[in-house]
């Protein structure tokens, strides 16, 4: 081998080795799998944990399994987080009638394929917010009323987070998909509204 070509050959081998080592690392494929969960969470959670409520204060154990129940400060809405499955809200004062949200549909198709009045708002782990008709008030605690989630406090549990703000209404988010809803009697916005970092 020509001594002048030896440095070039060694440099070429080093470049090839670097290229090969970068492409054969198995961990690089595993890291992105974990990243979507954290990247979908990163833009939407509160800037500070000071706004988090203690999830253990809202846990209940109905026959269907552990869930997290809360009511809005006004007592108008009752909601529940079904761990890693869905979060739903309904009227705490007007069940089983419509929720009374401006713009909600007059009817939806129920499980039997019949048109019926929607009486709940549901967000599944990977889906979008939808008005639905349910036969039992599964999003309200029975017996008794669920604990109130105070204004500007975030209940984060089992893949979902919810809050209630005076200015915007009640809001929930799927931490997996990044999809959510915010509603009040004035209407529904199909996205999560975070509690501002400066909120009291």
């Amino acid at each position: 081998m020509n001594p002048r070509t030896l440095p070039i050959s060694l440099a070429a081998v080093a470049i090839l080795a670097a290229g090969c080592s970068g492409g054969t690392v198995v961990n690089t494929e595993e890291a992105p799998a974990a990243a979507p969960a954290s990247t979908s969470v990163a833009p939407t959670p509160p800037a500070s944990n000071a706004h988090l409520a203690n999830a253990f204060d809202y846990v209940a154990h109905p026959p269907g399994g552990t869930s997290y129940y809360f009511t809005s400060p006004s007592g108008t809405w009752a909601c529940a987080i079904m761990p890693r499955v869905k979060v739903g809200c309904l009227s705490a004062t007007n069940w089983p009638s419509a929720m009374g949200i401006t713009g909600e549909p007059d009817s939806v198709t129920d499980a039997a394929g019949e048109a019926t009045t929607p009486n709940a708002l549901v967000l599944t782990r990977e889906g979008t917010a939808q008005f639905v008709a349910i036969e039992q008030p599964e999003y309200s605690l029975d017996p008794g009323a669920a604990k109130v989630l105070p204004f500007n406090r975030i209940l984060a549990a089992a893949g979902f987070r919810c809050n209630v703000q005076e200015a915007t209404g009640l809001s929930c988010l799927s931490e997996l998909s990044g999809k959510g809803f915010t509603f009040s009697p004035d209407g529904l916005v199909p996205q999560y509204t975070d509690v501002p970092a400066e909120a009291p």
Side-chain angles (χ1 to χ4, degrees):
M1 181 176 278
N2 184 339
R4 284 188 286 180
T5 60
L6 182 61
I8 295 170
S9 298
L10 290 176
V13 169
I15 291 170
L16 286 173
C20 290
S21 67
T24 59
V25 176
V26 176
N27 290 339
T28 59
E29 291 184 19
E30 292 177 7
S38 62
T39 55
S40 67
V41 173
T44 50
S48 168
N49 285 340
H51 298 304
L52 291 177
N54 186 344
F56 290 109
D57 293 340
Y58 299 88
V59 71
H61 305 282
T66 300
S67 295
Y68 299 84
Y69 294 86
F70 68 92
T71 57
S72 62
S74 65
T76 305
W77 314 110
C79 301
I81 294 173
M82 311 311 197
R84 293 172 199 79
V85 176
K86 61 185 173 180
V87 59
C89 297
L90 51 79
S91 172
T93 58
N94 201 27
W95 168 263
S97 298
M99 293 181 69
I101 298 172
T102 300
E104 72 182 299
D106 293 330
S107 67
V108 294
T109 304
D110 65 11
E114 301 291 325
T116 186
T117 302
N119 54 16
L121 181 62
V122 176
L123 173 68
T124 60
R125 191 174 186 212
E126 295 182 7
T128 56
Q130 294 184 351
F131 286 99
V132 298
I134 55 176
E135 294 181 10
Q136 298 297 322
E138 61 184 288
Y139 305 116
S140 62
L141 188 59
D142 183 31
K147 182 174 176 150
V148 170
L149 181 61
F151 287 123
N152 302 329
R153 292 296 167 260
I154 299 165
L155 174 58
F160 294 91
R161 59 179 53 223
C162 297
N163 72 71
V164 186
Q165 299 177 58
E166 286 187 271
T168 57
L170 197 152
S171 188
C172 292
L173 168 78
S174 164
E175 293 181 329
L176 177 68
S177 70
K179 296 176 183 177
F181 62 71
T182 302
F183 74 90
S184 71
D186 297 331
L188 168 71
V189 177
Q191 66 185 31
Y192 178 69
T193 303
D194 204 359
V195 176
E198 68 277 7

